[in-house]
Amino acid sequence: MNLSKILFQIGAKYRNPSLWKHYSELKQTEKYSFEELQAYQEFRLKKLLSFIGLNSAYYKELFQKSGINPQTLTLKDFFNIPITSKSELLSRKPDIYQEKKFEKEFLCETSGTSGEVLTFYRNESWDSFNRASMLRGYSWHGVKPWESNLYFWGYNTGASERRRIRFFDFLLNRYRMFDYDEKSLLSLEKKLPNVKYIEGYSSVIYELANLMEKRGIIHKNLKMIKGTSEKIYPHYQDVVKKVFGHKIISEYGAAETGIIAFECSKGNMHINMEGVYVETDENNEIIVTNLHSYSFPIIRYKLGDSVVLAPRNKKCKCGLQHPIIEEINGRVGKSILGENKKYPSLTLYYVFKNIYLKHKVQINYQAHQVEKGKLDIWLKEEVSDKMKDLILVEAHKYFDTDIDLNILHRTNFREQSGKLRDFITTID
């Protein structure tokens, strides 16, 4: 057994004790027929709803008003549960939490690209199942999670948090990079021959491929390239496939919903039926129930994305019977343009996340850019000098003096800016 595998397993046992149990079950259920998957899904759904009907003040009240008995609950009762939104999760958060406390929980937060940041706790089994779902997706591409990998993702800038992340990156045999800086990307040239998979911001993966192409460097020893949190544009795929031998595959999900779908080796996005129950409304907006969300129930949650589901009779050559999502609309990953550099749009997520973690100040925001090197931050809250200083100090750690921030109070920014998920307008 190699050292990377040993370290990964030690880290997994410490952080996610039930990871391999969930992974083993997922590898079994991926062989199920669609009917077997439906039965499994219904079992998980009833078990979750029975539990929250007894342990969540919010759902106790809701079930009583709706005449739903959590002990004899049916799918018909499930469809009578009102659809919920992020704003409702925020406003009723204390009541939604389970009265039962879990031995191990993990703090999670949404990216805030909808203008609303939600923080909540995942119980260990929920967190482990989500990670196991990811690892199952990796297995479809022949990837072992302890293999050397490159990770384009953000991080907290605090010293203690950096040390913690570096430690876990070491256990995961991972080299992490955050920005678009050409010098930083070029420093990866010597590492790439040993890397087996790349994941993270699709825009940064595209930038790296562009640089390698210009230098005439081809790396086709990779097993998988996975993009997440941003839209993958067709022109990304051309250069990425030319340089790395694979296209960028998609993982679809959110912090609150977990993994919704993962792309198989044949190019289809399969819904993670063991983890989520997916519905769509008359406008094709996706509605998600997380079947493992015991500590903070995510029930009939409108995520804000529009999706196109494949016809049920569409078969995939990979053999999976899990339904297919043909198209995901509504999430657009763009860049923030500084005077000298480009930054992933989710850089702002880390700015406001850090403010919350350090100062317990939750800020609802949108960002708009119409001029290179300048960025407007719209806040719902009144902008006090203290709040403005918190934002400017934290943003400076990421942007330095490359971007001039203008912080404004806009109570009606929801109406002014249209679709919140497309929260940033950039110039080309």
Side-chain angles (χ1 to χ4, degrees):
M1 186 181 292
N2 64 47
L3 179 61
S4 297
K5 183 176 181 179
I6 293 170
L7 290 173
F8 180 88
Q9 292 183 335
I10 290 171
K13 187 175 181 180
Y14 168 75
R15 189 188 191 282
N16 294 98
S18 64
L19 174 69
W20 295 116
K21 173 179 173 290
H22 285 303
Y23 178 77
S24 178
E25 289 175 355
L26 283 167
K27 291 303 291 181
Q28 287 297 316
T29 56
E30 73 179 23
K31 303 179 182 72
Y32 280 8
S33 67
F34 177 70
E35 291 71 27
E36 287 173 321
L37 285 167
Q38 278 186 313
Y40 178 87
Q41 194 176 50
E42 188 172 336
F43 166 76
R44 298 290 324 184
L45 183 60
K46 287 180 179 179
K47 186 177 178 181
L48 172 66
L49 295 176
S50 295
F51 182 86
I52 67 173
L54 297 173
N55 294 284
S56 167
Y58 175 79
Y59 282 102
K60 276 183 186 178
E61 177 188 338
L62 192 150
F63 286 3
Q64 286 171 1
K65 286 181 178 179
S66 304
I68 297 173
N69 183 343
Q71 298 304 307
T72 59
L73 189 139
T74 66
L75 274 182
K76 184 179 178 182
D77 293 323
F78 169 67
F79 292 120
N80 288 328
I81 297 173
I83 292 170
T84 191
S85 64
K86 183 181 284 188
S87 60
E88 287 166 321
L89 291 182
L90 283 163
S91 64
R92 297 298 303 271
K93 187 165 77 167
D95 295 327
I96 292 173
Y97 270 119
Q98 297 294 351
E99 295 166 359
K100 173 183 169 66
K101 298 300 179 185
F102 292 87
E103 187 175 336
K104 192 171 188 178
E105 295 181 336
F106 300 93
L107 177 66
C108 299
E109 56 282 313
T110 62
S111 66
T113 53
S114 65
E116 299 168 304
V117 180
L118 171 68
T119 58
F120 61 98
Y121 285 91
R122 279 191 196 139
N123 54 288
E124 185 276 328
S125 182
W126 176 7
D127 190 76
S128 291
F129 178 86
N130 192 59
R131 291 176 181 275
S133 297
M134 206 178 301
L135 297 190
R136 178 175 71 169
Y138 290 4
S139 74
W140 297 343
H141 300 272
V143 170
K144 296 178 175 61
W146 50 81
E147 292 181 302
S148 178
N149 62 97
L150 184 58
Y151 194 42
F152 292 116
W153 198 251
Y155 51 85
N156 188 300
T157 56
S160 62
E161 184 68 9
R162 282 202 304 271
R163 286 193 295 269
R164 187 186 72 84
I165 287 175
R166 283 172 182 162
F167 173 70
F168 281 110
D169 283 344
F170 170 72
L171 292 179
L172 293 169
N173 201 9
R174 169 186 289 166
Y175 185 80
R176 181 188 297 254
M177 186 168 287
F178 183 50
D179 57 40
Y180 282 106
D181 180 74
E182 184 170 317
K183 184 178 178 181
S184 298
L185 290 176
L186 286 173
S187 72
L188 300 174
E189 190 174 320
K190 293 180 180 179
K191 298 180 183 297
L192 281 169
N194 299 317
V195 168
K196 296 302 179 185
Y197 65 99
I198 299 174
E199 60 181 330
Y201 301 126
S202 56
S203 57
V204 188
I205 295 170
Y206 169 66
E207 292 291 333
L208 176 63
N210 266 330
L211 279 174
M212 295 299 106
E213 183 188 33
K214 288 174 183 176
R215 294 171 65 83
I217 297 167
I218 303 295
H219 289 289
K220 296 197 174 180
N221 58 324
L222 295 168
K223 296 180 178 181
M224 180 186 76
I225 305 169
K226 185 192 77 174
T228 188
S229 296
E230 295 184 329
K231 190 175 181 66
I232 302 170
Y233 293 100
H235 67 276
Y236 288 6
Q237 301 288 25
D238 295 337
V239 66
V240 169
K241 193 167 183 180
K242 179 180 178 181
V243 172
F244 297 124
H246 295 277
K247 71 167 191 167
I248 306 174
I249 66 161
S250 294
E251 172 193 275
Y252 177 46
E256 61 271 49
T257 63
I259 304 296
I260 297 171
F262 204 101
E263 187 172 336
C264 74
S265 60
K266 303 300 180 183
N268 286 315
M269 289 279 291
H270 291 277
I271 293 175
N272 184 22
M273 283 184 75
E274 299 92 335
V276 292
Y277 190 95
V278 169
E279 309 168 65
T280 53
D281 66 10
E282 64 277 4
N283 297 315
N284 288 328
E285 283 195 65
I286 193 169
I287 300 163
V288 184
T289 297
N290 186 292
L291 302 175
H292 297 263
S293 56
Y294 282 81
S295 55
F296 187 68
I298 303 297
I299 310 295
R300 304 201 75 204
Y301 175 67
K302 186 169 281 193
L303 182 57
D305 293 335
S306 172
V307 302
V308 177
L309 301 179
R312 181 60 210 105
N313 60 359
K314 180 175 179 177
K315 302 296 182 185
C316 182
K317 291 180 180 179
C318 76
L320 289 170
Q321 298 298 303
H322 299 63
I324 294 167
I325 298 179
E326 289 194 327
E327 189 177 341
I328 302 165
N329 302 307
R331 289 188 170 190
V332 180
K334 296 184 179 178
S335 304
I336 301 170
L337 302 185
E339 289 290 348
N340 304 300
K341 292 170 61 176
K342 292 195 290 186
Y343 306 84
S345 58
L346 283 185
T347 302
L348 291 171
Y349 160 55
Y350 291 96
V351 170
F352 289 94
K353 171 187 173 181
N354 293 346
I355 291 171
Y356 174 79
L357 292 177
K358 293 175 186 176
H359 308 283
K360 299 304 177 187
V361 177
Q362 185 166 299
I363 303 172
N364 294 317
Y365 70 93
Q366 284 188 338
H368 298 260
Q369 185 172 46
V370 293
E371 185 179 347
K372 185 177 180 180
K374 298 182 184 298
L375 191 67
D376 287 342
I377 304 291
W378 293 5
L379 306 183
K380 275 187 176 180
E381 297 84 356
E382 291 286 349
V383 185
S384 65
D385 289 340
K386 179 183 177 181
M387 184 180 290
K388 186 173 182 179
D389 288 343
L390 286 176
I391 296 170
L392 291 174
V393 168
E394 199 62 43
H396 182 77
K397 296 175 183 177
Y398 292 92
F399 301 129
D400 197 9
T401 58
D402 199 32
I403 290 179
D404 180 24
L405 262 63
N406 182 29
I407 301 170
L408 306 166
H409 176 217
R410 292 289 180 91
T411 57
N412 62 337
F413 67 67
R414 182 184 295 272
E415 288 77 22
Q416 289 190 36
S417 60
K419 292 180 68 175
L420 287 174
R421 193 167 291 278
D422 300 344
F423 76 103
I424 181 163
T425 304
T426 61
I427 55 175
D428 296 319

